[in-house]
């Protein structure tokens, strides 16, 4: 008799162990698969970047420049004739080319590039440098990453929460004026955020100068931490609003449709017939089974917005990855461009991985499949 | 076929679909008109800028924008010597011509610039020309004089000496009312101003023709940009470019995606696995940075960009969706029947599997078009627009580079943006309605 609860507990804990183990196996497999995917993706990137022959050519030009500069500046070679000096330069260039393996076929070198890109050894920028003065592409990118994460993290979270909340409410009184106006407004989301951003700048920075038109903090940045926060808040408002406007209506619309379809399921009708209160129906009968699609779409939205970041940041002069890539285009700074693509690929991979793990936790079907 | 027609009939019940279709019709009409009215090569030539536009004002806003606000900003006036009669005085060894280039100026705002274009014909010996400005109140102002070789442009507004003498920029100083009280806020002296050209020819045969251009502050429906180009050219040519880009990219990606998904489902095994893995790799590759990279390293030609967009779009997330839809169709009895009568793989995929999913594809396809239209604009805004073709995005890019908003040239941003928005709205509204017609599960909602 007294064994029964203990047994139940051990069964439950064994179940938990089993689930945990399966989840671990599952995520391990996904991690390996994703790693291979990133590997292929980055390799393709390197391939595209090199097919133009640009990278090698640029490196050759750079080597030539550096070597001739060094030879010309060295007082030890001052009394050489022009011809001797040119010969010396050529010799040094060929040494350098050999040292960097530039005389090897591209296929061999591409694996070297791949290895270094995967190790996040992104090389040195040609023209650009980080605000702290480093010429390492990695440092430049890492310096810009927080600004991008701040803006896009906040915006996505806001859009996601507001739209799911609004959709739940709208789906209960569909056909109302509010509902119909959201449906009517949904096509406005065809325009990307930067598009609305332009008009917001026009309205709130120039016609009614109330908010700054760009940047992240005032220059020079305020010393006081509170002032700094207030300044960032003022600067983030317009880009945030732009992103919000551009995706909120379509988001509410699709969630509303989704909830409407799910709230007409038989088990929801059944719960209604039982007389359960509305908030319980919403939480247990509508939200719980739809949780995994909700999470999926949230993360997919994150993926989608990584790309759109470039122009929005450029329009608002936001010091993030997007502006960085734009500046890199301006400077034709290939290592920075390739480095940014690699970082984007990593970020996407991390997002996809999180998606898989969450799926594993939320969707029982995946858990069972994982153990098979 | 009948199903499609019925679907179209149902569309009439959605006002947003009708509005969307009207917008699309308008855009298609505009593009057809543009392509006929301004041929491709001519558009490129015009947009390259230069001499075509020398008679156009710099950064003039559209006429309607000013008139709506009740303004009376001047339009450009061109006074040609062909339209006036010159007084001729013969003297031994030459002639003296007096050409009065008079114009009636009624606007309360000053013109934006004054230029004189002179051409000398049939003479080897350059004539001497004196420029005299006659104001409506009878006063005269000698601007200067010079020998004119062949074709010459006299930039009156850039005459520093004159500016110092008048105390104002020449086009203000020459046309202001000397009687108006405050010299720091000059007022226009309305009436007939005349630019008198006093030409001395050292030759019997030669002649001089001149165009006085009084540049306005407003121009046409669309205004002009910093290179004097009429924005109408870009706005009109942007339409067929945007529609073609959006349409080709949308067709290219959706149809190939669907066919590839169907192939994966039909052949299974390694084909399916390869397609799945490729899709995953492609999902990791960020579209816009790759496009940026291609644009930077290769060329920014719009057709190359289109190719890359389609290539990257083929193995998109859509494959997973279509795959999920096609999997049950594969096991359907009618496929079994097709196999039994000996249909080949290609026939089953193209004639039996793909058409079943097409209705779902149509709305997606229509809503995809604006995405690509905006993608093209995005690339142009990033400075990776087509190097020669005028597009909406390039107008926006120019505007941004010249800080149009800061300088108050709102029209420069608003008109291409409005066209982009119309395109986006037109296709999106139609697409949403199509979605409800072709996806019956949504129809009851």
């Amino acid at each position: 008799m007294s064994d029964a609860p203990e047994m139940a507990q051990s069964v439950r804990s064994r179940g938990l162990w089993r689930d945990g183990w399966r989840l671990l196996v599952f995520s391990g497999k996904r991690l390996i698969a994703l790693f291979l995917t990133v590997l292929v993706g980055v390799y393709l990137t390197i391939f595209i970047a090199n097919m133009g022959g640009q990278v090698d050519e640029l490196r050759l030009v750079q080597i030539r420049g550096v070597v001739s500069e060094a030879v010309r500046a060295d007082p030890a070679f001052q009394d050489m004739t022009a011809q001797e000096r040119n010969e010396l330069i050529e010799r040094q260039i060929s040494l350098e080319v050999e040292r960097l393996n530039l005389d090897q076929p591209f296929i061999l070198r591409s694996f070297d590039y791949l290895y270094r890109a995967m190790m996040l050894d992104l090389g040195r920028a040609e023209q650009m440098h980080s605000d702290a003065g480093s010429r390492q592409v990695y440092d430049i990118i890492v310096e810009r990453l927080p600004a991008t994460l701040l803006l896009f993290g906040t915006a996505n979270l806001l859009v996601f929460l507001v739209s799911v909340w609004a959709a739940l409410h709208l789906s209960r009184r569909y056909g109302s004026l509010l509902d119909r106006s959201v449906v009517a407004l949904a096509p406005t989301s065809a325009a990307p955020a930067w598009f609305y951003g332009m008009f917001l700048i026009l309205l709130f920075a120039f016609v009614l100068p109330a908010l700054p038109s760009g940047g992240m903090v005032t220059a020079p940045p305020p010393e006081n931490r509170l002032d700094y926060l207030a300044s960032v808040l003022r600067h983030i408002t317009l880009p945030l609003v732009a992103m919000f406007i551009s995706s909120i209506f379509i988001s509410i619309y699709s969630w509303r449709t989704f909830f409407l379809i799910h709230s007409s399921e038989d088990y929801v009708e059944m719960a209604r017939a039982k007389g359960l209160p509305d908030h319980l129906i919403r939480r247990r009968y509508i939200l719980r089974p739809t949780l995994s699609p909700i999470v999926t779409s949230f993360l997919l939205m994150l993926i989608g917005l990584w790309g759109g970041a470039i122009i929005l940041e450029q329009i608002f002069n936001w010091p993030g990855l997007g502006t960085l890539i734009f500046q890199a285009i301006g400077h034709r700074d290939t290592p920075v461009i390739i480095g940014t693509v690699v970082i984007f690929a990593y970020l996407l991979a991390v997002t996809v991985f999180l998606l898989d793990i969450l799926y594993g936790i939320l969707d029982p079907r995946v858990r069972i499949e994982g153990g098979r | 076929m009948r199903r499609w027609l019925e679907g179209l009939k149902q569309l009439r019940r959605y006002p947003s679909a009708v509005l969307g279709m009207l917008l699309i019709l308008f855009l298609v009409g505009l593009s057809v008109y543009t392509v006929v009215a301004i041929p491709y090569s001519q558009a490129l030539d015009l947009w390259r800028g230069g001499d075509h536009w020398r008679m156009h004002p710099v950064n003039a806003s559209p006429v309607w924008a000013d008139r709506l606000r009740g303004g009376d900003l001047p339009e450009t006036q061109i006074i040609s010597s062909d339209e006036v009669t010159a007084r001729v005085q013969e003297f031994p060894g030459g002639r003296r011509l007096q050409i009065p280039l008079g114009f009636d100026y009624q606007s309360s705002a000053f013109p934006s610039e004054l230029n004189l274009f002179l051409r000398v014909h049939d003479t080897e010996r350059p004539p001497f020309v004196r420029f005299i400005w006659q104001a409506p109140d009878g006063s005269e102002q000698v601007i200067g004089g010079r020998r004119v070789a062949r074709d010459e442009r006299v930039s009156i507004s850039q005459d520093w000496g004159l500016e110092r003498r008048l105390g104002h920029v020449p086009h203000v100083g020459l046309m202001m009312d000397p009687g108006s009280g405050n010299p720091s806020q000059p007022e226009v002296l309305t009436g007939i101003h005349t630019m008198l050209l006093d030409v001395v020819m050292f030759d019997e045969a030669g002649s001089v023709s001149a165009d006085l251009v009084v540049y306005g502050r407003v121009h046409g429906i669309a205004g002009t940009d910093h290179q004097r180009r009429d924005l109408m050219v870009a706005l009109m040519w942007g339409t067929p470019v945007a529609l073609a880009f959006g349409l080709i990219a949308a067709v290219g990606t959706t149809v190939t995606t669907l066919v590839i998904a169907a192939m994966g489902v039909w052949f299974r095994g390694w084909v399916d696995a390869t397609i799945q893995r490729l899709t995953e790799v492609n999902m990791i590759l960020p579209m816009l940075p790759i496009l940026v990279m291609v644009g930077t390293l290769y060329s920014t030609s719009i057709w190359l960009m289109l190719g890359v967009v389609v290539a990257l779009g083929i193995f998109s997330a859509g494959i997973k969706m279509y795959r999920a839809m096609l999997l049950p169709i594969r096991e359907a009895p009618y496929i079994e029947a097709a196999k039994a009568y000996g249909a080949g793989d290609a026939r089953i995929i193209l004639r039996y599997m793909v058409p079943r999913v097409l209705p779902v594809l149509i709305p997606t396809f229509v809503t995809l078009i604006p995405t690509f239209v905006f993608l093209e604009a995005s690339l142009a805004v990033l400075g990776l627009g087509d190097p020669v073709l005028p597009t909406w995005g390039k107008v926006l890019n120019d505007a941004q580079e010249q800080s149009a908003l800061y300088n108050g040239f709102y029209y420069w941003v608003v008109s291409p943006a409005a066209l982009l928005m119309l395109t986006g709205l037109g296709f999106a509204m139609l697409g949403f309605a199509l979605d409800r017609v072709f996806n019956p599960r949504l129809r009851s909602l």
Side-chain angles (χ1 to χ4, degrees):
Chain A
M1 275 298 270
S2 62
D3 279 359
E6 243 171 70
M7 254 187 38
Q9 204 172 2
S10 82
V11 164
R12 198 180 304 148
S13 81
R14 219 186 310 150
L16 220 64
W17 271 110
R18 186 199 58 201
D19 279 0
W21 173 245
R22 283 179 182 174
L23 201 62
L24 208 67
V25 171
F26 171 73
S27 25
K29 276 187 189 165
R30 285 305 297 161
L31 205 60
I32 293 169
L34 269 172
F35 177 75
L36 289 176
T37 324
V38 173
L39 206 67
V40 178
V42 170
Y43 189 73
L44 277 178
T45 310
I46 290 170
F47 209 72
I48 295 173
N50 278 280
M51 281 299 271
Q54 286 284 339
V55 175
D56 289 350
E57 238 165 73
L58 284 171
R59 288 179 83 186
L60 272 178
V61 170
Q62 196 186 4
I63 291 169
R64 181 166 290 272
V66 169
V67 168
S68 19
E69 197 65 25
V71 169
R72 292 222 173 80
D74 196 333
F77 303 128
Q78 281 300 323
D79 47 352
M80 279 182 159
T81 64
Q83 202 196 343
E84 275 177 328
R85 204 182 299 158
N86 282 343
E87 274 170 16
L88 180 73
I89 289 174
E90 288 303 322
R91 213 161 45 237
Q92 297 228 2
I93 288 173
S94 64
L95 271 176
E96 189 69 14
V97 163
E98 211 169 319
R99 189 178 76 81
L100 290 172
N101 289 336
L102 278 174
D103 51 347
Q104 275 184 3
F106 169 68
I107 291 295
L108 285 181
R109 272 179 299 127
S110 68
F111 289 111
D112 181 40
Y113 293 154
L114 178 66
Y115 175 74
R116 278 197 275 164
M118 294 302 285
M119 299 306 288
L120 287 180
D121 172 12
L122 303 173
R124 285 167 70 85
E126 277 158 21
Q127 315 265 330
M128 305 174 69
H129 52 79
S130 70
D131 291 341
S134 166
R135 293 291 294 269
Q136 293 292 323
V137 174
Y138 180 78
D139 291 342
I140 298 177
I141 291 175
V142 164
E143 201 178 63
R144 301 294 193 103
L145 205 53
T148 298
L149 288 180
L150 173 69
L151 176 59
F152 288 87
T154 321
N156 281 328
L157 215 61
L158 208 64
V159 168
F160 175 71
L161 293 178
V162 170
S163 62
V164 168
W165 177 82
L168 260 179
H169 281 260
L170 280 186
S171 70
R172 275 176 55 223
R173 37 190 105 96
Y174 85 93
S176 66
L177 188 68
L178 196 66
D179 181 48
R180 270 181 297 158
S181 46
V182 165
V183 174
L185 279 171
T188 56
S189 299
W194 63 263
F195 186 81
Y196 291 104
M198 239 166 33
F199 287 99
L200 289 177
I201 293 178
L202 174 67
L203 273 179
F204 292 105
F206 292 113
V207 178
L208 320 160
L211 288 165
S213 67
M216 192 166 93
V217 282
T218 45
E223 300 274 328
N224 188 334
R225 194 169 283 180
L226 269 179
D227 288 349
Y228 191 91
L229 198 71
S231 172
V232 170
L233 217 60
R234 270 168 58 78
H235 281 81
I236 207 176
T237 310
L238 282 186
L240 213 57
V241 171
M243 288 179 69
F244 192 74
I245 295 176
S246 85
S247 41
I248 190 71
F249 293 115
I250 184 84
S251 192
I252 294 182
Y253 173 79
S254 48
W255 282 124
R256 157 199 171 275
T257 316
F258 178 81
F259 285 134
L260 274 178
I261 289 172
H262 276 271
S263 54
S264 59
E265 296 278 0
D266 291 343
Y267 56 82
V268 181
E269 300 291 343
M270 163 80 179
R272 277 218 182 93
K274 275 199 295 190
L276 283 182
D278 262 353
H279 67 269
L280 268 187
I281 294 182
R282 236 178 305 154
R283 227 179 36 225
R284 288 196 195 149
Y285 289 83
I286 301 180
L287 271 184
R288 182 62 188 88
T290 50
L291 206 54
S292 56
I294 291 177
V295 170
T296 316
S297 88
F298 174 64
L299 286 172
L300 280 178
M301 189 167 74
L302 275 187
I303 295 178
L305 282 171
W306 280 120
I310 294 182
I311 298 158
L312 187 79
E313 284 185 7
Q314 170 55 22
I315 294 267
F316 281 101
N317 203 11
W318 189 261
L321 278 182
T323 322
L324 178 71
I325 207 167
F326 186 81
Q327 287 165 344
I329 299 168
H331 290 297
R332 306 268 146 181
D333 204 327
T334 327
V336 179
I337 298 179
I338 296 173
T340 321
V341 175
V342 171
I343 292 285
F344 267 123
Y346 262 109
L347 285 175
L348 284 180
V350 169
T351 321
V352 172
F353 180 65
L354 281 180
L355 182 78
D356 282 337
I357 298 291
L358 274 174
Y359 239 67
I361 295 171
L362 291 175
D363 195 339
R365 281 170 296 182
V366 176
R367 241 179 299 173
I368 291 164
E369 210 175 321
R372 220 177 8 211
Chain B
M1 198 61 206
R2 192 186 294 154
R3 203 170 141 202
W4 297 83
L5 283 178
E6 264 170 30
L8 279 179
K9 259 186 219 151
Q10 278 178 19
L11 266 186
R12 268 190 300 180
R13 277 194 276 138
Y14 295 93
S16 67
V18 175
L19 190 60
M21 275 200 279
L22 284 179
L23 278 176
I24 294 169
L25 269 182
F26 162 72
L27 291 167
V28 170
L30 182 62
S31 11
V32 170
Y33 171 75
T34 308
V35 175
V36 173
I38 314 172
Y40 183 71
S41 56
Q42 194 191 339
L44 295 192
D45 196 37
L46 283 175
W47 198 244
R48 208 170 291 132
D51 246 16
H52 304 287
W53 305 108
R54 57 179 195 172
M55 307 276 191
H56 284 67
V58 174
N59 284 334
S61 53
V63 177
W64 53 266
D66 176 58
R67 301 296 181 260
L68 276 183
R69 272 180 291 178
D72 68 334
L73 291 180
E75 286 187 65
T76 303
Q77 294 191 44
I78 300 171
I79 304 98
S80 168
S81 62
D82 302 338
E83 290 156 19
V84 296
T85 42
R87 249 191 30 216
V88 188
Q89 241 179 313
E90 305 273 346
F91 64 84
R95 293 183 297 155
R96 183 176 177 205
L97 300 170
Q98 283 192 303
I99 310 172
L101 299 171
F103 61 97
D104 190 9
Y105 197 81
Q106 291 299 341
S107 174
S108 62
F110 287 98
S112 61
E113 208 179 340
L114 280 175
N115 271 340
L116 186 66
F117 296 95
L118 289 169
R119 282 175 310 283
V120 179
H121 312 283
D122 315 318
T123 177
E124 288 304 305
R125 308 180 59 181
F128 188 83
V129 185
R130 264 178 8 118
F131 313 105
I132 299 150
W133 191 270
Q134 296 173 324
D137 59 0
S139 64
E140 279 197 355
Q141 184 75 251
V142 178
I143 295 173
R146 65 159 91 166
R147 273 180 187 279
V148 177
R150 288 193 73 78
D151 288 3
E152 215 159 301
R153 165 194 184 135
V154 185
S155 304
I156 302 167
S157 290
Q158 261 117 57
D159 189 335
W160 295 105
L162 187 63
E163 182 172 343
R164 222 171 303 131
R165 197 140 47 91
L166 295 168
H168 287 283
V169 204
H171 54 262
V172 173
L174 289 172
M175 299 185 69
M176 68 187 246
D177 185 356
S180 68
N182 190 354
S184 63
Q185 278 180 328
E187 278 168 32
V188 181
L189 186 62
T190 52
I192 295 181
H193 290 264
T194 309
M195 162 73 107
L196 183 69
L197 301 183
D198 195 354
V199 189
V200 180
M201 313 278 301
F202 306 99
D203 211 316
E204 308 278 292
S207 64
V208 168
S209 59
D211 288 311
L212 174 68
V213 186
V214 185
Y215 294 96
R217 291 186 179 276
V218 290
H219 182 88
I221 307 175
T224 57
D225 67 2
H226 62 301
Q227 295 186 33
R228 301 179 187 274
R229 295 177 297 195
D230 192 342
L231 286 180
M232 204 58 199
V233 176
L235 294 185
M236 281 169 70
W237 252 95
T239 322
V241 173
L243 290 188
F245 191 88
L247 205 67
I248 297 175
V251 171
T253 49
T254 45
V255 173
T256 39
T257 303
L258 180 56
V259 171
I260 286 176
M263 273 167 65
V265 169
W266 179 245
F267 290 114
R268 290 200 267 205
W270 65 268
V271 179
D272 195 27
T274 315
I275 291 170
Q276 295 288 312
R277 295 296 91 74
L278 271 176
T279 311
E280 273 155 26
V281 169
N282 202 32
M283 276 169 78
I284 297 278
L285 286 179
M287 173 100 143
L288 205 54
I290 294 259
L291 278 175
V292 164
M293 203 166 73
V294 170
T296 323
L297 299 179
Y298 296 80
S299 101
T300 53
S301 154
I302 197 168
W303 307 117
L304 176 72
M305 287 296 175
L306 186 61
V308 178
V309 166
V310 172
L312 285 177
I314 287 175
F315 291 98
S316 62
I319 281 203
K320 302 246 172 200
M321 192 178 83
Y322 298 136
R323 190 169 173 272
M325 283 187 232
L326 286 162
L327 273 175
I329 292 176
R330 187 184 196 283
E331 310 299 333
Y334 77 97
I335 301 271
E336 198 80 18
K339 252 195 308 200
Y341 85 71
D345 292 333
R347 189 177 171 83
I348 289 180
I349 291 171
L350 293 178
R351 295 297 301 275
Y352 290 88
M353 289 174 76
V354 170
R356 272 294 292 274
V357 195
L358 269 185
V360 187
L361 188 80
I362 299 291
T364 328
F365 161 74
V366 174
T367 25
L368 258 181
I369 293 178
T371 318
F372 289 116
V373 172
F374 275 104
L375 182 68
E376 192 272 325
S378 307
L379 284 172
V381 169
L382 280 176
L384 296 170
D386 191 90
V388 289
L389 212 57
T391 66
W392 296 334
K394 272 177 79 181
V395 175
L396 283 175
N397 186 31
D398 282 345
Q400 182 147 41
E401 272 175 11
Q402 302 294 323
S403 322
L405 292 181
Y406 182 75
N407 291 319
F409 306 135
Y410 299 143
Y411 69 93
W412 203 352
V413 176
V414 171
S415 39
L419 279 168
L420 275 171
M421 196 67 223
L422 280 186
T423 316
L425 274 183
F427 283 102
M429 288 199 292
L430 182 63
F432 274 72
L434 281 171
D435 206 20
R436 268 181 277 176
V437 170
F438 284 108
N439 295 333
R441 202 164 177 200
L442 295 173
R443 204 181 304 157
S444 57
L445 302 176

